[in-house]
């Protein structure tokens, strides 16, 4: 037999070996995670329900799904064991205290603004087109906007307001 005829079979067997190996690793990690469950731990079931562990036995878990409501689940039905902070954030809506973390601005405006006592900031430069036609059109647009604003003040309406009640 030629090596070229055996090569596809060798590659196929290697791929199957790698896939089963990764699946076994995931199963082992899931079993370790389920063994870490203790009473009081927050969990998520494979169905997406969040609950608190009350008792753990060999193959089953007693979960408190609501205050005073208990249900028995198989250990295999536990999809994830959650950290206390994550469980409280999801179930109770309690955000962790982030007072120790530094405040980072959303944009760079705070970095470019002049600090108090500094010289006033430079005048901003307009980078738009500035031709004679645009300036005439701008003047008529400004007059139209002023007229529209006066009409709105007279009627008691602003942009976007409707007559319907």
């Amino acid at each position: 037999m030629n090596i070229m005829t055996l090569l596809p079979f060798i590659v196929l067997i290697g791929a199957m070996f790698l896939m089963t190996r990764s699946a076994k690793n995931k199963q082992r990690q899931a079993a370790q995670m389920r063994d870490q469950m203790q009473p009081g731990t927050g969990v998520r079931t494979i169905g997406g329900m969040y609950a608190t562990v009350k008792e753990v036995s060999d193959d089953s878990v007693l979960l408190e799904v609501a205050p005073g409501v208990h249900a028995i689940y198989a250990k295999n039905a536990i999809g994830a064991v959650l950290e206390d902070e994550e469980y409280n954030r999801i179930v109770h809506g309690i955000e962790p205290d982030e007072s120790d973390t530094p405040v980072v601005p959303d944009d760079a405006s705070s970095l470019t603004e002049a600090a108090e006592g500094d010289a006033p900031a430079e005048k901003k430069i307009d980078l738009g087109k500035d031709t004679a036609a645009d300036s005439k059109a701008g003047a008529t647009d400004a007059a139209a906007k002023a007229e529209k604003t006066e009409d709105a003040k007279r009627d008691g309406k602003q942009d976007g307001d409707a007559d319907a009640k």
Side-chain angles (χ1 to χ4, degrees), residues 78-96:
I78 304 301
V81 176
L82 306 173
E83 298 289 330
D84 289 337
E85 293 83 20
E86 183 180 8
Y87 181 78
N88 288 332
R89 181 181 57 80
I90 294 170
V91 175
H92 303 295
I94 301 171
E95 293 294 329

Side-chain angles (χ1 to χ4, degrees), residues 33-46 48-56 61-66 77-92:
M33 177 223 18
R34 289 183 190 112
D35 290 338
Q36 294 174 356
M37 283 188 297
Q38 299 173 3
T41 306
V43 296
R44 181 182 65 236
T45 65
I46 57 174
M49 181 179 66
Y50 293 91
T52 305
V53 176
K54 288 299 177 184
E55 292 179 17
V56 179
V61 180
L62 179 66
L63 300 179
E64 184 176 29
V65 295
I78 304 301
V81 176
L82 306 173
E83 298 289 330
D84 289 337
E85 293 83 20
E86 183 180 8
Y87 181 78
N88 288 332
R89 181 181 57 80
I90 294 170
V91 175
H92 303 295

